[in-house]
Amino acid sequence: MTEKLTGGQALVAGLQRWNVDTLFGLPGVHLDHFFAALYPVKDKIRILHSRHEQGAAYMALGYAMVTGRPGVFTVVPGPGLLNTCAALATAYACNAPVLCITSTVNLPLLEKNYGSLHEISDQPGVLAGLTKWSARANYAAEIPELMDEAFRQMLSGRPRPVALEIPPEIMGQTALMQYPNEIPIIRHPTPDPEKINAAADLLGTAKEPLIIVGGGAQDAGTEVLQLAELLQAPVISRQMGRGIVSDKHALSIQAAAGHQLWKTTDVVIGIGTRLQQVREWGIDDNLKVIRIELDPVEITRIAPPAINLVADAGEACQALYNVLKKRNVSRADQTAKFKSIKQDFRKELERTITRQVEYLDVIRDALPEDGILVDELTQVGHVTKLAMPVYQPRSLLTSG
C-alpha cells in the first residue's frame, strides 16, 4: 500500500518489515527525524542507548554473533561513524550480519569543506572499506528499495556488515512510498550434484577423513554431526567453529589437539572455514581437500581444493550425507581413539598453563551450557580457545 511517509518513518517501516525488534544507538541532531519515527513504535522496537558510538556498534555486533540475526545500530555521521570503525571491521572479519544506519551533512554541503557539523571527507569511501555493501539515499522515496537491498546484501552469500547513509533533510522529507508485498528471497547456491558425487567418491575411499568447521557452519551443527558420525571423522575447530559439535561429543576436537591427526589425514572437508590449518600445517599430493563455502572467492584462497562446493553448509552436508548413506559408506568406530587424544591434550594444558586453565574451569562451572563467554586478547582469553569446553555454537564470542 502506498503511504505518505517521512524518510525516518520509511526506515522504521523497513526495520519492522525485516523483523528487527532491537536497535542500538546514540541519538543526535542528524538523526532527529529517525528517532521521532521510532517513538510511536517504542513497544515494538526497543532502543538500547549507549554512552559512546563504539559501544552501540559493538553491542550490535555481539547481538548478531549470539543470535545469528541482524544487529542494527544507528549513529551520527562523521566522528560518530568513525567511532564505530573497529566494530565494523570486526563484524567484517567475523562474518557478522550488522547494519549501520547513519547520516551525512545536508546534501548541498557534501564535500564542500565548509566545516559543517560532523563533516568528514569521503564518508562513503570510509564505509566501502568496512562493509560488504553501502549506499546513500538522495531522496526519501529511495529508502524502501535501499532498505530491502541492504538486508538482501547482508544476508545473502557470506554474511557481512552493510551500511546506509540518509542525509538529515532526507530523513525529514515526505514522499509517497511503498514497500513491495513480499520481502526479497534470500537465496544460496544449490549444491552441485556432480560435485556432491565426486566428494562422495573421495570420502568413500578415505582412510583417515577429517572435518574442519568455522563460523560459516554455525547453523549446520546437526548436518555436520551426522556426516561426522557416518564417516567417524573428527570435527576440528579453533575459534568461530567452537560448539558447532559439542565438546561433550567424542568427535569434537579443539584444533591444537587435532594437529597430531594431520600427518595421517588423507581427505579433509572444510566447512564454512578459512582453512588456516592447511596454510599452517602444510599440504602435499596425498591430501585431498573438499571445501564447502558460500564465498566463491574464499573457496580457493588458501589452496585450490580437489572439490569445491559453493553452497550453504547445512544443505551441502545433508546432500553429501544422503549420497554416502545410500552407498552404505561406513567406518569402524573411532571414538575411543579421539577421546584419548582429547584427554591427553587436556592433561598437557593443565600441566603447562595451570593457572589459566583453573580460571576457565571456574568460569565453565558457573556458566550454564548455553551461557555466553566473550574472550579478549589476554592470556586467559587466548587460552579460552584451547581449554574452555564449548557446548553450543555462538556461545564463545571471539574476534577471530
Side-chain angles (χ1 to χ4, degrees), residues 43-64:
D43 58 331
K44 297 174 182 174
I45 299 179
R46 62 174 179 163
I47 301 174
L48 299 183
H49 182 286
S50 64
R51 286 179 172 269
H52 190 277
E53 290 88 2
Q54 187 180 63
Y58 269 118
M59 284 193 286
L61 170 60
Y63 178 93

Side-chain angles (χ1 to χ4, degrees), residues 23-356:
L23 175 72
F24 305 92
L26 199 67
V29 64
H30 299 76
L31 303 172
D32 279 356
H33 292 288
F34 183 29
F35 276 86
L38 283 163
Y39 184 78
V41 297
K42 60 183 182 295
D43 58 331
K44 297 174 182 174
I45 299 179
R46 62 174 179 163
I47 301 174
L48 299 183
H49 182 286
S50 64
R51 286 179 172 269
H52 190 277
E53 290 88 2
Q54 187 180 63
Y58 269 118
M59 284 193 286
L61 170 60
Y63 178 93
M65 293 179 75
V66 169
T67 66
R69 298 175 58 195
V72 184
F73 73 90
T74 185
V75 294
V76 295
L81 175 66
L82 292 177
N83 282 339
T84 72
C85 286
L88 281 172
T90 306
Y92 193 93
C94 294
N95 309 308
V98 171
L99 168 61
C100 166
I101 297 175
T102 188
S103 189
T104 66
V105 299
N106 288 334
L107 280 173
L109 303 178
L110 280 172
E111 305 300 336
K112 291 294 197 301
N113 295 315
Y114 290 157
S116 303
L117 180 65
H118 292 349
E119 178 185 23
I120 60 172
S121 177
D122 191 20
Q123 183 170 288
V126 172
L127 286 170
L130 296 167
T131 61
K132 178 182 179 180
W133 174 92
S134 61
R136 175 186 293 159
N138 293 305
Y139 48 92
E142 281 187 303
I143 292 175
E145 180 181 353
L146 290 176
M147 281 290 278
D148 272 357
E149 183 63 12
F151 278 91
R152 190 189 72 80
Q153 289 280 349
M154 178 171 48
L155 299 173
S156 296
R158 186 175 189 161
R160 271 180 163 160
V162 297
L164 188 56
E165 299 174 288
I166 315 290
E169 73 270 40
I170 305 304
M171 292 264 196
Q173 187 181 76
T174 301
L176 289 172
M177 300 183 222
Q178 180 178 9
Y179 278 95
N181 291 330
E182 303 294 331
I183 65 172
I185 298 173
I186 305 301
R187 301 186 185 277
H188 299 304
T190 301
D192 184 330
E194 290 186 8
K195 291 186 176 182
I196 289 290
N197 283 319
D201 289 341
L202 266 184
L203 291 167
T205 58
K207 293 182 173 63
E208 298 288 341
L210 180 146
I211 297 170
I212 299 175
V213 293
Q218 286 178 327
D219 296 319
T222 299
E223 295 85 355
V224 169
L225 180 56
Q226 70 175 1
L227 179 62
E229 289 180 332
L230 182 69
L231 296 169
Q232 285 297 294
V235 179
I236 303 296
S237 60
R238 175 181 288 168
Q239 298 182 68
M240 305 293 290
R242 299 293 307 283
I244 290 171
V245 174
S246 170
D247 280 335
K248 289 186 175 181
H249 198 291
L251 292 177
S252 177
I253 301 181
Q254 200 282 336
H259 179 226
Q260 61 184 280
L261 298 168
W262 196 249
K263 59 180 177 287
T264 57
T265 296
D266 54 352
V267 178
V268 59
I269 313 171
I271 307 173
T273 170
R274 290 184 174 93
L275 270 186
Q276 295 285 11
Q277 289 82 0
V278 172
R279 180 179 65 82
E280 295 169 2
W281 296 352
I283 187 172
D284 58 28
D285 293 338
N286 297 319
L287 180 64
K288 304 301 181 186
V289 177
I290 300 168
R291 290 201 70 173
I292 298 171
E293 169 64 55
L294 269 176
D295 187 343
V297 175
E298 187 66 41
I299 208 163
T300 57
R301 192 185 303 277
I302 297 295
I307 298 164
N308 63 73
L309 284 158
V310 181
D312 172 77
E315 292 176 12
C317 287
Q318 186 65 56
L320 188 52
Y321 172 84
N322 291 343
V323 172
L324 291 168
K325 188 73 172 174
K326 189 175 181 179
R327 296 184 185 183
N328 294 317
V329 172
S330 63
R331 296 178 69 237
D333 187 281
Q334 304 286 309
T335 54
K337 170 185 172 182
F338 300 137
K339 184 176 180 180
S340 176
I341 288 173
K342 293 171 69 171
Q343 289 174 342
D344 290 346
F345 182 70
R346 176 69 186 191
K347 289 176 183 176
E348 182 67 9
L349 291 178
E350 291 172 351
R351 184 185 68 82
T352 56
I353 45 177
T354 308
R355 188 65 65 196
Q356 292 90 337

